[in-house]
Amino acid sequence: MSGTTSSLSPLLRAAPAEHPYKEIFTSLPKPGGGEFGKYYSLPGLNDPRVEKLPYSIRILLESAIRNCDGFQVTKEDVEKIIDWENSAPKLVEIPFKPARVLLQDFTGVPAVVDLAAMRDAMKNLNNDPNKINPLVPVDLVIDHSVQVDVARSENAVQANMELEFKRNGERFGFLKWGSTAFRNMLVVPPGSGIVHQVNLEYLGRVVFNNEGLLYPDSVVGTDSHTTMIDGLGVAGWGVGGIEAEATMLGQPMSMVLPGVVGFKMTGKLRDGVTATDLVLTATQMLRKHGVVGKFVEFHGQGVGQLSLADRATIANMSPEYGATMGFFPVDHVTLDYLKLTGRSDETVSMIEQYLRANKMFVDYSEPQQDRVYSSYLELDLAEVEPCISGPKRPHDRVPLKEMKADWNSCLNNKVGFKGFAIPKEEQDKVAKFSFHGQPAELKHGSVVIAAITSCTNTSNPSVMLGAALVAKKATELGLEVKPWVKTSLAPGSGVVTKYLKKSGLQKYLDQQGFNIVGYGCTTCIGNSGDLDESVSAAISENDIVAAAVLSGNRNFEGRVHPLTRANYLASPPLVVAYALAGTVDIDFDKDPIGTGKDGKSVYFRDIWPSNDEIAQVVQSSVLPDMFKSTYEAITKGNPMWNSLEVPAGTLYKWDPNSTYIHEPPYFKNMSLNPPGPFGVKDAYCLLNFGDSITTDHISPAGSIHKDSPAAKFLLERGVDRKDFNSYGSRRGNDEVMARGTFANIRIVNKLLNGEVGPKTIHIPTGEKLYVFDAAMRYKEAGHDTIVLAGAEYGSGSSRDWAAKGPMLQGVKAVISKSFERIHRSNLVGMGVIPLCFKAGEDAETLGLTGHERYTIDLPSKVSEIRPGQDVTVKTDNGKSFVCTLRFDTEVELAYFDHGGILPYVIRQLMKQQ
């Protein structure tokens, strides 16, 4: 692991005498004498409003006070936060400066590419390129590189790692260069684990002690599941890669002061119910309540009954229920977890003393003071029942007892989120085939992928060991997973391997095909690898609706694997159970899973462990030394990483022939002065979408299709098809990524009149072209383009390429019913205009077909534009309609004035001496 330690910014080094809140700057004494350091005391404000604030808002308040300099953060901003109860409903804007930034490799590569390109831009503008450096600590974990090429093998980990270094050596080398070229950047090598689990077990500070200044840890990350750290009491959430880069460079994040939903938990989970069941239940409740743009804060005696890992599972899925974060304040459970994971006694003591002194600690053994929330929800944990979610969205929860009936409904229903429209006479079809000489068959609902994967669950010992106990019981009864089911186990860190081996249960997972394939994100992000050719052929030739069951957090269509139309999220023990059953068309209460070695039927209840069984194995197998030894090894790297040779120097030497790393065009011909705002004139509609277009649809993701514009580009540059790798691995090359934007094979574009796929109509000629090819036609002819969309445009992972790609394709504006929070922010960051239809209106109600030309008039001076103002859109057929301009803050308007957030940052840094 490489990188340098952080140092305080000039603001934080300023003597307290110069600080607007110097009167509350005080020492934190150690119990045995001396002091831990100094801090800004919230009780020192002597303001009764602070006592009522949700804990999550107190973290925003402390940051604003500590960073208050009268310029980036003012006393007026601090007052807005103190007065949260009254100011939040008014949607006021505040600045926030997180303590650190978290990257993973897929988003880390473009971030480091942009930093390198910004250095070049500074040099070209005759300024000091070394002004471009992270000003806050940046933790970069290389975790998205595990493709499941080799599964069901004892040598899977090493084989997959060798393939990854062969494919991604250039990308890894570039990140290793970045760790030495930039200050404040820590790089965790590949093979170490999933970024969010590494963050939870190792990187999370909870409280920083930075040269004697104490303050709460807070983090923004370029993956939407950064929220997992909220389970540890660290305020964290996902932002766009573009916004993260600006944060690294010292810019405050501009955000609307959020409302906070108080989610009270009572009681405890029943026997046989897992944390995954709880999170799928909470996700459905919160989605129904409506929490987009809000914090959710969990409280109540039921929270005290939840393990830290259970809390992290719930916090992890904040993006799926739509919240900015799902926050669990620090309590004794948190402190116990910090000790378990190897944090020193002195560090844990400092954390507890600081949080107690600053009224940020919850003690469930004491009477709880009522806090004010924007709205309230309550759940009795005893009411949670086993469930899964799918087949196409994470919030479509299905109780396990209703699964068989729900599946049959999905076969009958028209094509949609809960439907496949399979004709009645086709529903019992059996596709027989030969699997390596063995007779095999598939039906609708047959499981072909079963993956224990994803940050959501692999950090939770109770569900991981629960899965292993299911495998043990099944093995002992003589059940066996069919060999054509692609099974895999991808732990989030090496700790999981240690406790599975210590428990003696890994061998049972191995016997059922759940061999460890690597440490990182796999099936959940589309790195499921190929299915066996015979299986693929049986699915394709017979039009089988095949199923994947995974312990992930995302199951949008086309994400997990192109050939699994039905994808269900389930707990790791349920993944094993469904793999054994071989189908999702089963009622676990009534139908046998299989036949045992004694010839008798084996039922779900025969292989399902009790909570006590699981707790006993967790207690005896999960030990502090496992965490210490795992993360000591990480700091030393691994032989393949350590042998990578990287160039020296602080300016990157771009290779024009590289198909992985390419200098982006964002700063070419950049001027000293901002270009100013722009309108849109006579634009064509590039794409016309309905609701729920996700970043998986927009952003290049997964494998590169053999006939796509990106494939053509790579073939022309001598890249063999077998070496295409994934789009994620090529995020550092804008030429590949622009071609992969809107290239999802399941995308539904209304211009194609019902046809599904990555093409559109070039309006002037009527030709059907790949989206990229049509976009280039428009660009070459000097025509602007826009995108029409429905509700929840840009939901899903926080992918910056979902904004960078459209911008490079020439899209000037997106008009939708509503935007996902991070994606709207990313569009703003790239200088694309986000507009929302007025309530009750959309393209359909307005009679827009997408064949019109669109004009959006905006003032030429940014001072004449207001956040959220009305804007009239005119079409060439005489129609006009009013939209809301979704630049939500004055800072976002400044970014628009500069042509995006990164040109803005460059011009700000140039002013510094």
Side-chain angles (χ1 to χ4, degrees), residues 200-202 336-343 624 627-628 631:
L200 193 73
E201 295 174 351
Y202 179 60
D336 289 344
Y337 180 83
L338 291 171
K339 290 174 184 173
L340 171 69
T341 50
R343 275 78 162 196
F627 293 90
K628 285 179 183 172
Y631 288 107

Side-chain angles (χ1 to χ4, degrees), residues 294-317:
K294 297 174 183 172
F295 290 174
V296 175
E297 187 165 296
F298 296 94
H299 65 105
Q301 293 299 326
V303 171
Q305 302 291 321
L306 294 177
S307 71
L308 195 291
D310 288 354
R311 298 174 188 188
T313 298
I314 296 166
N316 176 284
M317 280 190 76

Side-chain angles (χ1 to χ4, degrees), residues 408-547:
N408 284 292
S409 296
C410 288
L411 290 180
N412 289 317
N413 294 345
K414 67 178 184 180
V415 173
F417 296 122
K418 294 288 287 186
F420 299 105
I422 304 299
K424 284 278 187 197
E425 64 275 12
E426 295 282 318
Q427 291 182 10
D428 295 324
K429 180 198 295 183
V430 179
K432 294 185 181 293
F433 64 104
S434 173
F435 182 81
H436 300 276
Q438 181 179 349
E441 62 179 45
L442 294 177
K443 301 176 182 178
H444 295 304
S446 287
V447 174
V448 295
I449 290 176
I452 300 175
T453 178
S454 162
C455 51
T456 306
N457 286 292
T458 62
S459 61
N460 193 326
S462 65
V463 291
M464 296 300 282
L465 288 164
L469 285 169
V470 170
K472 176 179 186 283
K473 288 171 183 277
T475 303
E476 289 172 345
L477 288 167
L479 296 186
E480 195 174 335
V481 176
K482 296 286 191 294
W484 53 84
V485 180
K486 187 165 188 178
T487 44
S488 61
L489 166 59
S493 82
V495 176
V496 179
T497 305
K498 286 185 168 70
Y499 66 63
L500 283 172
K501 284 186 176 166
K502 166 82 173 162
S503 69
L505 296 172
Q506 178 65 54
K507 63 185 178 186
Y508 299 107
L509 285 165
D510 291 346
Q511 284 174 31
Q512 296 297 347
F514 288 94
N515 302 84
I516 293 174
V517 294
Y519 301 90
C521 291
T522 56
T523 306
C524 189
I525 58 158
N527 282 355
S528 45
D530 293 334
L531 293 174
D532 188 88
E533 286 181 10
S534 64
V535 177
S536 297
I539 295 170
S540 301
E541 291 166 12
N542 296 279
D543 199 24
I544 294 291
V545 182

